[in-house]
Amino acid sequence: MSASAVFILDVKGKPLISRNYKGDVAMSEIEHFMPLLMQREEEGALAPLMSHGRVHFLWIKYSNLYLVATTLKNANASLVYSFLYKTVEVFSEYFKELEEESIRDNFVIVYELLDELMDFGFPQTTDSKILQEYITQQGNKLETGKSRVPPTVTNAVSWRSEGIKYKKNEVFIDVIESVNLLVSPHTSAPPLPCDGVLFELTGRSKNKSVELEDVKFHQCVRLSRFDNDRTISFIPPDGDFELMSYRLSTQVKPLIWIESVIEKFSHSRVEIMVKAKGQFKKQSVANSVEISVPVPSDADSPRFKTSVGSAKYMPEKNIVIWSIKSFPGGKEYLMRAHFGLPSVEKEEVEGRPPIGVKFEIPYFTVSGIQVRYMKIIEKSGYQALPWVRYITQSGDYQLRTS
């Protein structure tokens, strides 16, 4: 069983819009949700599933909204939560920003989407690209005898319309790994969780295997084929989509290492020296590198000297941005910043925030995962050009220096 009804509430718990799918749970039951939520918060026992009598509330919070599903029986909780997050994704693609105002401004579209997303409590059409073929924000003019619902909705392959043709046929596979880490002053080799797109479970060596976590496939993937021989076989949707995502934790050196020294002189000026080193292979190059260096909030009169790139002071954020367009592996660069300080030192002690780094390294992955081959099968025999691109980019990448 799945959801009986779905509600979208504002931050105070007032229903903005709702859809009753089965009619077996009174819509007035939602009045118990917010008092129950506040009670659980006070008790320190907040949970994503709460019950009032025989009614269960499965909920998520997004921006200033609560999305709540009610059910009377023992529902498939994973299915319900997946549906709620998918609903957020669809609404976000329709309205760009999903918040209370976008719901109020698009009541008609939201009702139509809720009708198509779920039927009698079970998820139905949840692909936004297919939904946008017949639910538009410009309105619909219906013609007698003609259905506005595309045949894709009733096809076995509900994520791709039929008859799509292009003059130039190309297939791009992007293997993107996003590196997240927080390094303390005494950390030498922190674990790097990588969130990316996976196409092969083996590395460059036949004997090397990569252990992945939180693996998620797009609905187009034939799971039985993957379970048998680790081949990812699928009929792709039209346009960009995420085929597969995964998480990987491994012990490696930070790709860009930062050392920083800050010195204050007679409370009248401060000097910051930052050294950046590329700790990835020399054949690779990091592009669009931005190093965010925190400075005292009372600093002024900035002067910079860099061995490469340029530095810019952003007083509204109390940081210096050191920008380097091209950073080859193995290279080491320096940046010096001089600031004036008020004659009277601040009384409060300021905690020193971490240094943040943004970068993108093409033709490189931290995990070593690679696409061994890509085969395109098309009955009509048209030629399609396959392309594979590898990119490693910074996610939440921060270093605390002594």
Side-chain angles (χ1 to χ4, degrees), residues 36-209:
L36 197 59
L37 185 72
M38 295 176 66
Q39 179 186 342
R40 292 290 184 88
E41 281 186 330
E42 291 175 359
E43 296 173 350
L46 196 59
L49 190 152
M50 302 183 298
S51 301
H52 177 263
R54 298 173 59 212
V55 178
H56 307 297
F57 300 102
L58 296 89
W59 64 278
I60 62 172
K61 186 176 182 182
Y62 183 86
S63 185
N64 57 352
L65 300 171
Y66 290 97
L67 281 79
V68 186
T70 59
T71 180
L72 198 61
K73 297 184 178 180
N74 186 20
N76 182 333
S78 296
L79 178 63
V80 175
Y81 288 120
S82 294
F83 174 79
L84 292 177
Y85 281 110
K86 190 65 179 180
T87 300
V88 168
E89 181 183 319
V90 170
F91 286 170
S92 296
E93 291 180 4
Y94 262 85
F95 313 132
K96 293 184 180 179
E97 294 291 337
L98 177 57
E99 54 188 9
E100 181 179 339
E101 187 177 351
S102 61
I103 295 295
R104 292 186 182 278
D105 291 345
N106 297 277
F107 269 143
V108 175
I109 299 293
V110 172
Y111 269 123
E112 287 191 61
L113 289 173
L114 288 175
D115 277 342
E116 295 299 325
L117 286 165
M118 183 171 279
D119 181 39
F120 198 66
F122 293 95
Q124 188 174 243
T125 304
T126 59
D127 191 301
S128 63
K129 290 180 181 177
I130 301 300
L131 289 167
Q132 287 170 11
E133 290 185 19
Y134 62 101
I135 297 181
T136 68
Q137 290 164 294
Q138 287 77 33
N140 296 288
K141 293 183 180 180
L142 302 182
E143 296 181 24
T144 306
K146 291 186 178 181
S147 172
R148 67 189 182 104
V149 179
T152 311
V153 174
T154 55
N155 286 348
V157 180
S158 62
W159 55 85
R160 184 180 179 89
S161 300
E162 293 182 353
I164 299 175
K165 295 181 179 180
Y166 295 101
K167 291 183 179 179
K168 188 176 182 180
N169 299 301
E170 294 181 303
V171 178
F172 291 91
I173 294 183
D174 292 333
V175 181
I176 303 173
E177 291 190 343
S178 180
V179 181
N180 306 317
L181 85 157
L182 176 60
V183 181
S184 71
H186 307 292
T187 302
S188 57
L192 301 183
C194 304
D195 302 318
V197 180
L198 167 71
F199 296 96
E200 186 75 19
L201 288 182
T202 58
R204 291 178 175 81
S205 169
K206 292 183 178 179
N207 298 324
K208 179 182 177 182
S209 62

Side-chain angles (χ1 to χ4, degrees), residues 310-326:
S310 61
K312 181 181 179 181
Y313 178 42
M314 301 184 70
E316 71 277 8
K317 296 183 179 180
N318 298 320
I319 59 173
V320 171
I321 299 291
W322 180 15
S323 301
I324 304 172
K325 290 183 179 179
S326 180

Side-chain angles (χ1 to χ4, degrees), residues 77 175 189 214 344:
V175 181
D214 296 340
V344 179

